[in-house]
Amino acid sequence: MSELRLEELSASTIVAVNRLSLKPGQEQFITPVSYAAALAVTPANTAWQRVAVRDDRVVGFIHANFDAENSRPEFRAALWRINVDAKQQGTGVGTFIVNELIKEARSRGIEKLTVLYEAGDEGPEQFFLNVGFKPEGETEYGEIIAAYDLTSA
Ligand SMILES: CC(C)(COP(=O)(O)OP(=O)(O)OC[C@H]1O[C@@H](n2cnc3c(N)ncnc32)[C@H](O)[C@@H]1OP(=O)(O)O)[C@@H](O)C(=O)NCCC(=O)NCCS
C-alpha cells in the first residue's frame, strides 16, 4: 500500500474533499446535530482541517476544533468530522488521520480529545472504539460523547 501524507486544506484540495464519496447509509452520520449547532457560535480560527493524500489523490478529510475557552468541555479539543473516500475505507486512512490529530493535540499540550457520534449500524462507532476513544456520556440530542485520553503513553 502506497504512502499516506497529510496536507493542510487548501483552495485546490477543498474541491477534492467535496467529491469524497460515502458508502450507502453513511450520510446520516456525517454531521451530528450538536456540531451543526456549535458551528454557528465557534470562532473560525479554531478549526484544524487537513486532507490525507495517497498517490497524489485526496482520499480523506478531517476537521478538528481547538477552542480551549469553549464553555462546553466536549468542544474544547474535538474531532468534528472525518471521512474517507468509500473506495479507500478499511485501508487504514481513518486510523492514520486520527493518529495525526492525536500528535497535533499532544504537541499543543492537550490532555483529552473528544468526539461526538450517533450510534447505528452503518455509523463510525466501531472505528472510534478501535482507534482508542472511550464513551463517557451523551449530548442532549442523544449523541455519544467519547474521549481519547492523551495523558497515557
Ligand atoms: C469512519 C471512517 C472515517 C473510518 O475510516 P477508515 O479509513 O475506513 O478506517 P480504517 O481503515 O483506519 O479502519 C480502522 C478500524 O476500524 C474498523 N472500521 C472502520 N470503519 C468501520 C465501520 N464503519 N464499522 C465497523 N468497523 C469499522 C476497521 O475494520 C479497522 O479495524 P481493525 O483495526 O480491527 O482492522 C470511514 O468509515 C468513513 O469515512 N465513514 C463515513 C463518514 C463518517 O461516518 N464519519 C464519522 C462521523 S463525522
Side-chain angles (χ1 to χ4, degrees):
M1 191 56 71
S2 48
E3 210 177 302
L4 279 164
R5 64 174 200 277
L6 207 66
E7 283 183 14
E8 286 195 29
L9 186 68
S10 66
S12 58
T13 53
I14 203 164
V15 176
V17 168
N18 287 330
R19 288 202 190 118
L20 290 175
S21 59
L22 292 168
K23 290 188 176 171
Q26 290 183 333
E27 299 82 4
Q28 60 185 302
F29 296 99
I30 208 91
T31 307
V33 177
S34 292
Y35 290 137
L39 194 57
V41 293
T42 300
N45 61 358
T46 58
W48 187 87
Q49 294 169 307
R50 296 290 184 276
V51 295
V53 177
R54 178 185 265 160
D55 295 332
D56 292 326
R57 291 185 55 175
V58 171
V59 292
F61 170 67
I62 190 164
H63 178 172
N65 201 53
F66 293 108
D67 180 14
E69 308 301 318
N70 201 299
S71 59
R72 292 178 59 174
E74 67 270 29
F75 288 132
R76 289 181 192 152
L79 197 176
W80 275 34
R81 174 171 173 158
I82 178 169
N83 69 296
V84 172
D85 191 67
K87 294 180 286 301
Q88 304 273 343
Q89 288 181 24
T91 66
V93 180
T95 304
F96 168 77
I97 317 179
V98 169
N99 285 334
E100 292 295 312
L101 171 62
I102 289 167
K103 278 192 221 162
E104 174 69 25
R106 273 193 214 283
S107 75
R108 292 170 181 245
I110 285 163
E111 297 188 345
K112 183 166 144 176
L113 258 180
T114 46
V115 67
L116 306 184
Y117 59 82
E118 285 167 40
D121 285 348
E122 315 296 331
E125 178 163 42
Q126 196 53 50
F127 168 74
F128 288 130
L129 298 179
N130 283 10
V131 292
F133 285 87
K134 293 193 172 57
E136 60 168 27
E138 270 189 28
T139 69
E140 68 267 42
Y141 301 108
E143 300 133 342
I144 314 286
I145 303 172
Y148 187 101
D149 178 8
L150 290 153
T151 60
S152 55

